[in-house]
Amino acid sequence: MRNKIYPFYFALGTVGVYFIFFVVPGLMGFYYSLTDWNSYSDTITFIGLDNFKTLFSSGENYVSYIINTLNFTASTVILKTAIGLLFALILNEGIKLKGFHRVMIFMPSIVPMLVVGLIFKSILNPATGLLNEALRWLGLDFMAQKWLVDANWAFKSIIGVDTWKGAGYIMIILLAGLQSISRSYYEAAEIDGANSWHKFKYVTLPLLMPALVVTTVLNLLHGLKVFEAVYVLTNGGPGYATDVLYTAIFKEFSMGRYGVGTALSSLLFLFMTIVGYFVIRLMAREEGRDQ
Amino acid sequence: MTPKFVQKLARNGIAWLLSLFTFLPLYLIIVNSLKDQMGASSMSIALPKELHWSNYSIVVEQGKLLQSFLNSLLYAVGSTVLGIALAAIAAYIFARNQSRLNRFMYFFVILGIAMPINFVTLTKVMQFTHLINTQLGMVILLAVMSIPFSVFLIYGFVGSVPRELDEAGIVDGCSPLRLFYSIVAPLLTPVIVTVGILNFMGAWNDFVLPLYYLNDSNMWPMTLAVYNFFGRFSVNWNLVSADIVLTTLPVIIIYLLGQKYIISGMTSGSVKG
């Protein structure tokens, strides 16, 4: 009966295009990463694990791209969560013009990353950029850095820019989470003699956990897929110091070294699909419980 | 001056500082887009001495912005319409008919929220389907990329549409397809508006897909055009700023008009617990 009213084949078109353009390239990747596919010749030969040997050989930088990606992910997860949570707690109550501030603070997350990158290329310019100008004006000359040029600072600067763009979004999610916590819990805690720290630790944090899990997942997926922030701000430079997986894949692609690019992509695909499997299962189940 | 009052003042002060902090970079671009080349070279926060509106007309001509604008509009509108049509029908079937197969397909589709795209092998698929370097190809790709999250959001909403309406429709002799588009789909309007705005902005902001799959500059969207313009005119920050403003303006306008839907859509699913 159900199959008659809600025939499953109505969904097949959607699942079909999704499969062709999303899943098939991922699966094809495993085969092509074992070949010497490139733009110089038409024949594609099977070369076993050679591409992966290249990726992990000591003469190449690929391992550092993986480390950079993980570093970026971990740093942005921690920074955005910490900053988002801190400001969500401060702004949870007693704010006038709440709607206005919410619109402003959310704004960076809807501006294209490309545009944010270009704007910050100007702000972080060592000689004329707004940041260094402001530091000099404050008399903090020693803090002025060659943000995107100095190998010690370039990656930190990228993380900073991405945090500027993403922290507001996280804050708004956490703020919504905070406001769904009933006041009666705090009143009960107060009667039991809890101070602010106790209230945070025993009431706020546990009840905010679902929202914190979601923000962590969002930041995690965003971090592992980072491309535009790096591509626009430094394009991997100075040297290869700030290259991440997706920028390295794009470089391999541009140079026509498709086999190596695919191998790199397949590593990411495997890792994120496994992580995603558990995360998405959690999401699907939570939703089922609500209904 | 009670401590409570001081605390409230401090909170509001911090709120204003945060708003200022997020707005400053955007402000910087707007004021510099109206300066002359000399004035904009230092990209300072000072207001322009006189307003050089001509920057905008120069950018529109030099950057082929009209063409790019129309391209972006085509990609964003086309992929949003196609993506929603595909996502809505699938989410509806998955939510209403929870057979083993459908539950598996639902899970399989929303797994795409986490799955990264293999852009290198996607080239092969695009060549095989003759969609590489075509505008139709861009529309299809952007639509497909939006499917997982759209299905996830719409699926959650279908559950809140009472089944009794379906039954009434069936009694009145609706075909399964008719039941969807004339009874259920209209009731999904709130979530479809939210998903539509999110997907439109996502497609408008996208930079990676055209970077990989569009060689022909006549097909470039605004994002790729502005990046290319920056490469050619990086000494003229006044022009680059004007170009950035024109690229970002449509998204900001849509955001300000639909901020209620956008913020609820982007934060939904996260704060039910």
Side-chain angles (χ1 to χ4, degrees), chain B residues 134-176:
Chain B
T134 64
Q135 298 195 302
L136 179 65
M138 199 44 47
V139 169
I140 291 177
L141 274 189
L142 286 165
V144 173
M145 300 312 155
S146 74
I147 285 177
F149 192 60
S150 306
V151 167
F152 175 70
L153 281 183
I154 300 172
Y155 179 93
F157 197 86
V158 174
S160 70
V161 176
R163 264 173 198 278
E164 286 74 21
L165 290 173
D166 300 19
E167 280 152 22
I170 296 157
V171 171
D172 287 348
C174 275
S175 68

Side-chain angles (χ1 to χ4, degrees), chain B residues 92-131:
Chain B
Y92 162 72
I93 296 295
F94 296 155
R96 280 292 198 247
N97 177 1
Q98 304 211 344
S99 63
R100 270 184 93 83
L101 174 72
N102 285 346
R103 279 209 312 266
F104 169 76
M105 289 202 292
Y106 172 63
F107 181 77
F108 179 65
V109 169
I110 65 168
L111 191 58
I113 296 174
M115 245 189 248
I117 301 156
N118 188 330
F119 292 106
V120 188
T121 42
L122 183 55
T123 321
K124 274 248 180 252
V125 176
M126 295 295 281
Q127 282 165 349
F128 185 75
T129 50
H130 296 285
L131 288 170

Side-chain angles (χ1 to χ4, degrees), chain A residues 16-290:
Chain A
V17 288
Y18 165 75
F19 186 72
I20 293 170
F21 292 101
F22 220 117
V23 183
V24 166
L27 299 177
M28 275 165 71
F30 292 111
Y31 169 72
Y32 281 105
S33 55
L34 304 175
T35 69
D36 68 348
W37 180 27
N38 62 60
S39 61
Y40 315 115
S41 74
D42 290 333
T43 53
I44 295 175
T45 23
F46 186 81
I47 53 166
L49 291 171
D50 279 7
N51 286 329
F52 291 97
K53 275 184 206 147
T54 312
L55 293 186
F56 291 105
S57 72
S58 53
E60 303 276 353
N61 289 311
Y62 296 102
V63 176
S64 78
Y65 307 154
I66 297 175
I67 293 171
N68 277 347
T69 309
L70 295 175
N71 177 5
F72 179 88
T73 308
S75 308
T76 50
V77 165
I78 293 169
L79 279 173
K80 286 180 195 172
T81 310
I83 293 173
L85 182 59
L86 178 71
F87 287 115
L89 288 170
I90 293 173
L91 303 183
N92 188 25
E93 50 193 337
I95 299 296
K96 291 211 165 112
L97 295 171
K98 228 184 217 158
F100 166 79
H101 288 302
R102 202 169 71 140
V103 166
M104 295 304 288
I105 292 169
F106 201 80
M107 188 103 75
S109 46
I110 57 115
V111 176
M113 186 68 227
L114 170 85
V115 161
V116 171
L118 290 178
I119 298 176
F120 273 91
K121 248 181 128 83
S122 137
I123 292 178
L124 298 176
N125 182 303
T128 59
L130 185 64
L131 181 58
N132 279 357
E133 288 280 322
L135 288 171
R136 281 185 213 115
W137 187 73
L138 290 168
L140 298 168
D141 298 51
F142 66 96
M143 279 175 75
Q145 304 290 344
K146 292 181 175 158
W147 300 106
L148 293 169
V149 188
D150 184 340
N152 289 318
W153 282 99
F155 206 60
K156 294 189 184 95
S157 304
I158 295 172
I159 291 170
V161 172
D162 194 67
T163 304
W164 176 84
K165 180 165 159 58
Y169 175 27
I170 300 306
M171 191 196 111
I172 301 290
I173 294 182
L174 295 178
L175 205 50
L178 281 178
Q179 304 206 318
S180 72
I181 300 174
S182 162
R183 288 201 73 84
S184 55
Y185 291 113
Y186 293 106
E187 283 157 14
E190 248 162 64
I191 292 169
D192 290 344
N195 60 26
S196 312
W197 168 244
H198 286 142
K199 277 191 272 181
F200 174 72
K201 192 173 161 195
Y202 297 113
V203 180
T204 310
L205 215 48
L207 288 171
L208 201 57
M209 220 20 112
L212 280 168
V213 169
V214 171
T215 56
T216 307
V217 168
L218 285 174
N219 287 333
L220 190 76
L221 298 178
H222 171 84
L224 291 170
K225 292 182 192 172
V226 59
F227 171 75
E228 282 165 84
V230 178
Y231 182 74
V232 177
L233 284 169
T234 63
N235 195 15
Y240 300 101
T242 57
D243 258 319
V244 289
L245 279 176
Y246 260 138
T247 57
I249 292 166
F250 183 69
K251 281 180 184 171
E252 298 296 332
F253 178 81
S254 315
M255 288 188 292
R257 308 203 321 167
Y258 300 140
V260 181
T262 303
L264 213 51
S265 224
S266 296
L267 282 183
L268 187 67
F269 182 82
L270 192 65
F271 179 68
M272 286 190 72
T273 307
I274 292 171
V275 173
Y277 174 80
F278 293 102
V279 169
I280 301 293
R281 214 172 58 169
L282 199 77
M283 274 167 69
R285 202 188 301 144
E286 289 229 332
E287 209 176 352
R289 207 179 49 199
D290 283 342

Side-chain angles (χ1 to χ4, degrees), chain B residues 190-211:
Chain B
V191 75
I192 284 180
V193 171
T194 302
V195 171
I197 295 175
L198 290 180
N199 289 354
F200 183 92
M201 294 201 317
W204 188 278
N205 289 354
D206 190 70
F207 172 68
V208 183
L209 288 171
L211 184 66

